[in-house]
Amino acid sequence: MAFDIEMIKKVYENLPKKVEAAKKAVGRPLTLAEKILYSHLWDGEAKKAFERGSTYVDFAPDRVAMQDATAQMALLQFMQSGRSKVAVPSTVHCDHLIEARDNSKVDLERALNESSEVYDFLSSVSNKYGIGFWKPGAGIIHQVVLENYAFPGGMMIGTDSHTVNAGGLGMIAIGVGGADACDVMAGLPWELKMPKLIGIKLTGSLSGWASAKDVILKVAGVLTVKGGTGAVIEYFGEGAKSLSCTGKGTICNMGAEVGATTSTFGYDDSMSRYLKATGREEIAIMADNIAEHLTGDPEVYQNPKDYFDEVIEINLSELEPHVNGPFTPDLATPISKLKEYAEMNDWPKRIEVGLIGSCTNSSYEDISKAASLAEQVSEKNLKVKSEFTINPGSEQVRFTVERDGYLDTFNKIGATVFANACGPCIGMWDRMGAEKAEKNTIIHSFNRNFAKRADGNPNTYAFVASPEIVTAMAIAGTLDFNPLTDTLINEAGEAVKLDPPTGYELPPHGFDVDDPGYQAPALDGSNLTVKVSPHSNRLQLLEPFPAWDGEDLKNMRLLIKAKGKCTTDHISMAGPWLKFRGHLDNISNNMLIGAVNFFNDKTDSVKNQLTGEYGPVPATQRAYKAAGIQTIVVGDENYGEGSSREHAAMEPRHLGVIAVLVKSFARIHETNLKKQGMLALTFDNKADYDKILEDDVIDIIRLKTFAPNKKLKVVLRHADGTKDEIMVCHSYNKQQIEWFKEGAALNIIRKEFAEKNS
């Protein structure tokens, strides 16, 4: 389905001259990422070059996308802005609140019943403010965006870290917090530090068991979970052109796992084919006419080291399938080494469940390739040794694969087809027996595998692989199996070998769907009202956060010193907590309950300095707030890695945490903290992390002269009467400092609107 054609026409009409202006301003050929970034400057055509990795730039994104869990808070904030309609095309996608338990039909009906209040709220807000609404069951946001909204050369932001999936159609698509989305929907510029550029040259072509998923699994092993931070990854080369459009989407999607701002590919024939197959031939024709501007300049790809900050080369012809994990998506293991590593690390070898689908791997191509292996179960007289589940990416994909017989194939091997939703990928999985916390292994085609993420069990060893490898491993039921070389013993006692997977890039008979699940907004929503019950435990209207009082922060207490990996899952868990994403006070009861306390190696157990007793993090923080005491959170490297969920910033702000001091931040979380009026600080000397003691009374001074590139001082007054003074850094610019002073970025928007209409 084609949406927003007039907007896309305007983008394409202006793109050539904007790219030429950027080339003149920069004084050299441009990468694709630079072409899109410079052609979306808030001030119009480029007049100067921006320094990568240091200069903040205002951009004008073409559109905004929100999933239901994050849309609640984003739209509650937008309702405070005073605007009557969104300024750019925007959509809401209901995919996060459907729990996987029984099957697609039962699970969807249960979600519609349990979350009706939230769905009604999102539907009515969308209707009033001109936002497209995709109903529960319509599909996962990123697959639906790729099928309907993504377009080469465009720029979008989305309230989900995997918004980057749209890079598979040549976009610059970036995950953000709801406050950023609120700014853009309100017609304001969107600020981003000009990203660095990582170029990945792909040569050769995939064959046999290797897939597009293996490209990003390999890259994750090379860059690690923080190696892409602050950078756009741009893929190029003949190998890139040989990949399908949805395969490119898979690679871009999981680029979030290396911390990249986004990833993208240049426009090519595979994108044109995909646009036409999904009913957008008009866009393909327009893109064909300006194709030279929708990819990097030839000189860039001929001499990439002259144009990128880092260059990596991968030969697809030599690429081996990978299995990444457990507990982190960057622990990359070639399939040929998996058995050895499993034995060496005492990973549970028996695979309990294989899961395919999610926003990362739920295309027609993915499903058809997995089905080609499922067909071999009966053909070769095999029996599937693990449970097996599927989450289709959209109703269009589900309807088409059912029409083409693939769902019947999966049913015959005992698979369970869940709803067109995120499900287990984000912890919305009511897995029987998970509460026993038994050590076990699962393998899936999702993107993240942090502890507890899929089923809440800290002892579930989750491994990430392609749908093809997941299916083969589920058939075998063990990590010992290498489908490229090993045989299986069938029901007749014969040794048989699985044939390599085969499938279709696009459905041979085209896509089809009865009801895609889209609801268009009212043409004029000015007379519509949005009601939120004051007694609701799911939704809560927001109150503005208080402005800074103009004084240094004195006599603060340490809430928690987090040890090791502390992702947004640790700070604000998903799973059963998703139901409270629209109620800030209720969801704040999960604040930092997954973080490991440095001083006792426990989760959700911190010392209350008022009583000397240990207790849950949220309850302890509420005690400090009631006593009028501000607090600080201290963290390790890459703090806030993972999801874009701004609740991880809003919950501490709501409960009275004023500052977060860490060794380093993940990009989105740092921005979210700034947007909510908090201090996001980093150690000038990372070794000073060790100086933070449990009973410290802490001051942050020099705030009265808070300025860009000017360090602040932290005074640590220890319980034994001694003290340490350490310097801390920040990345605030002038505008962001105003966010802190006013109490939140939204407070400034509200004030400006009130003054304009007074």
Side-chain angles (χ1 to χ4, degrees), residues 50-57 192-197 229-232 261 309 709 731:
F50 297 101
E51 186 176 349
R52 299 178 197 162
S54 62
T55 305
Y56 281 97
V57 183
L192 176 73
K193 187 180 288 185
M194 197 66 170
K196 293 185 177 182
L197 301 175
T229 302
V232 172
T261 302
D309 298 289
N709 303 312
S731 61

Side-chain angles (χ1 to χ4, degrees), residues 122 133 168 272 282 353 404-405 474 512 533 550 557 613 644 680 721 750:
L122 293 173
F133 180 72
S272 179
E282 185 176 358
V353 191
D404 293 348
D512 200 1
S533 169
R557 301 300 193 275
E613 298 177 352
S644 69
R750 188 188 300 105

Side-chain angles (χ1 to χ4, degrees), residues 628-650:
I629 296 173
Q630 294 178 320
T631 58
I632 183 172
V633 168
V634 173
D636 214 316
E637 296 280 9
N638 208 30
Y639 184 87
E641 170 193 343
S643 169
S644 69
R645 66 191 67 154
E646 66 181 341
H647 297 76
M650 295 187 77

Side-chain angles (χ1 to χ4, degrees), residues 255-316:
E257 283 21 279
V258 299
T261 302
T262 192
S263 304
T264 194
F265 285 79
Y267 180 66
D268 61 17
D269 289 342
S270 72
M271 295 185 192
S272 179
R273 290 193 299 270
Y274 188 74
L275 286 168
K276 293 170 183 174
T278 50
R280 295 175 286 173
E281 184 172 5
E282 185 176 358
I283 298 174
I285 293 172
M286 288 192 287
D288 289 341
N289 289 334
I290 58 166
E292 66 180 289
H293 301 298
L294 300 176
T295 189
D297 287 326
E299 299 92 333
V300 171
Y301 297 152
Q302 288 165 6
N303 299 289
K305 291 183 179 179
D306 294 340
Y307 299 91
F308 293 98
D309 298 289
E310 182 179 356
V311 177
I312 298 168
E313 185 168 334
I314 297 174
N315 186 341
L316 301 185

Side-chain angles (χ1 to χ4, degrees), residues 548 551-556 630-633 658-661 678-681 697-704 706 711-717 726 728 740:
W548 176 52
E551 300 295 326
D552 287 337
L553 301 175
K554 297 288 186 70
N555 300 315
M556 302 169 67
Q630 294 178 320
T631 58
I632 183 172
V633 168
I658 192 63
V660 179
L661 172 60
M678 295 183 71
L679 283 175
L681 308 173
V697 176
I698 302 170
D699 302 333
I700 300 178
I701 59 177
R702 299 185 179 177
L703 280 174
K704 292 182 180 180
F706 192 12
K711 296 174 185 176
L712 300 174
K713 181 184 284 188
V714 172
V715 180
L716 307 171
R717 287 181 275 137
I726 63 175
V728 296
F740 170 74

Side-chain angles (χ1 to χ4, degrees), residues 492-556:
E494 302 164 331
V496 296
K497 194 169 184 290
L498 293 175
D499 300 322
T502 58
Y504 297 95
E505 175 187 349
L506 296 164
H509 304 293
F511 284 108
D512 200 1
V513 64
D514 278 346
D515 178 8
Y518 176 70
Q519 172 187 294
L523 293 177
D524 181 4
S526 58
N527 294 321
L528 300 177
T529 58
V530 179
K531 296 181 180 179
V532 174
S533 169
H535 307 295
S536 172
N537 74 341
R538 297 290 299 270
L539 296 165
Q540 179 187 46
L541 294 176
L542 296 174
E543 295 292 332
F545 290 132
W548 176 52
D549 64 6
E551 300 295 326
D552 287 337
L553 301 175
K554 297 288 186 70
N555 300 315
M556 302 169 67

